[in-house]
Amino acid sequence: NIMLRSEYKDRAKTELFMKYIDVLEKNTKKAIEALKGLTYDPNAGNKEELAKTRAESIAAYERIHEKISKAKDIEMKLAIAASKKTGKSVIANCMLGMELIPTSLLLATPNTCVYKKSPDSLFHLKYRDIKEDFDTAEQIKHRIRDEFKKAQDDEKNAFTIPDMEIEYVSNNNNFETYSIYDTPGPDLAKASGHKEAAKNAINLCDVAIFAIDYSKFLTDSEEEYLKMVKDV
């Protein structure tokens, strides 16, 4: 992992800030309450100056508290795009830090799967307006795989199924503040819905990672897809 010295220092600052972000948020709130509780002698000759100083201090801490809270809640959307069977799901699993997404040379991703950090200690699947809960990554992985297998034979719906939202129990991976969009390859024969699903996901996201199979290296279909990603 090679980076400039300035990038290394910035990353170190960010990691330190995120490590203590909950403490910082709590302490700024305490500071605001303490400042509001401060009193001064109403007969003091400099009471107007004291009142102004207190008001400015409270306002400053409120701005700091607001920025800390915003940093906690910010959501970065990241799309992983590539032609079919290029390794998108493998990349997504690396980001999640666990084998959560089904990967297979034969099993194509038939929809967009959105992975987010779970708010509790369970794994959740939101699919076809139904929410299911799971205790382990293995359980939810098998559930997703079952739906992927069904899609392989569903020519009536162009081998495409509705999008899924998966909430996973984080192991403090570096991407837990991101929403990761694992998109379908748009070049699967007869799967017309895949291209539209991938395009919609890329359009929603802030960042796109485009993976290329080095053994083929930018085929005509990959080049066409990459151009579409850049256009979006």
Side-chain angles (χ1 to χ4, degrees):
N1 188 4
I2 302 170
M3 62 185 78
L4 299 172
R5 184 177 287 115
S6 59
E7 292 172 329
Y8 179 83
K9 288 180 177 178
D10 285 343
R11 189 176 74 165
K13 289 175 187 175
T14 301
E15 287 177 351
L16 190 63
F17 173 69
M18 293 308 294
K19 181 180 178 181
Y20 293 106
I21 193 166
D22 291 328
V23 176
L24 291 167
E25 186 180 37
K26 185 178 178 181
N27 285 348
T28 50
K29 193 172 182 180
K30 280 184 178 178
I32 293 165
E33 292 170 357
L35 285 164
K36 286 180 177 179
L38 283 178
T39 58
Y40 53 85
D41 185 354
N43 298 315
N46 61 342
K47 64 179 181 180
E48 290 182 2
E49 183 184 346
L50 292 171
K52 183 182 177 183
T53 301
R54 185 179 69 170
E56 288 176 348
S57 301
I58 291 170
Y61 271 101
E62 285 176 341
R63 286 195 299 272
I64 293 169
H65 187 266
E66 182 184 351
K67 288 183 180 295
I68 292 170
S69 299
K70 188 176 179 182
K72 283 184 69 176
D73 295 336
I74 194 166
E75 180 192 17
M76 178 73 80
K77 297 184 177 116
L78 190 154
I80 304 172
S83 298
K84 62 182 174 68
K85 309 317 304 168
T86 305
K88 297 183 301 295
S89 298
V90 173
I91 293 170
N93 276 333
C94 289
M95 291 177 172
L96 300 175
M98 65 183 75
E99 287 288 330
L100 183 59
I101 305 164
T103 56
S104 166
L105 289 173
L106 302 175
L107 199 62
T109 303
N111 62 351
T112 295
C113 293
V114 185
Y115 295 86
K116 300 180 178 182
K117 181 182 176 182
S118 174
D120 51 40
S121 60
L122 293 175
F123 293 81
H124 307 284
L125 171 64
K126 296 175 184 177
Y127 178 57
R128 297 186 187 273
D129 297 323
I130 297 172
K131 184 177 180 180
E132 302 173 50
D133 301 332
F134 301 87
D135 293 317
T136 66
E138 195 66 23
Q139 288 173 348
I140 195 169
K141 179 181 174 182
H142 282 303
R143 177 71 180 90
I144 297 167
R145 185 189 292 275
D146 288 344
E147 292 301 315
F148 282 13
K149 284 181 178 178
K150 290 177 188 175
Q152 279 191 310
D153 302 319
D154 191 3
E155 188 172 356
K156 180 182 176 183
N157 291 303
F159 310 102
T160 305
I161 58 176
D163 292 346
M164 296 176 175
E165 184 176 307
I166 298 100
E167 294 178 337
Y168 66 96
V169 180
S170 172
N171 51 6
N172 297 318
N173 67 74
N174 290 326
F175 294 89
E176 65 176 20
T177 57
Y178 289 65
S179 291
I180 298 172
Y181 287 63
D182 185 21
T183 65
D187 54 341
L188 185 66
K190 298 183 181 179
S192 56
H194 288 196
K195 186 173 184 178
E196 198 60 33
K199 187 174 181 178
N200 289 340
I202 292 162
N203 195 43
L204 282 171
C205 289
D206 306 295
V207 177
I209 292 176
F210 192 86
I212 297 172
D213 183 346
Y214 74 92
S215 66
K216 294 181 291 185
F217 189 66
L218 212 58
T219 60
D220 289 345
S221 62
E222 281 181 319
E223 190 169 6
E224 182 185 339
Y225 187 26
L226 180 55
K227 184 179 184 302
M228 186 273 281
V229 171
K230 287 182 174 180
D231 288 343
V232 172

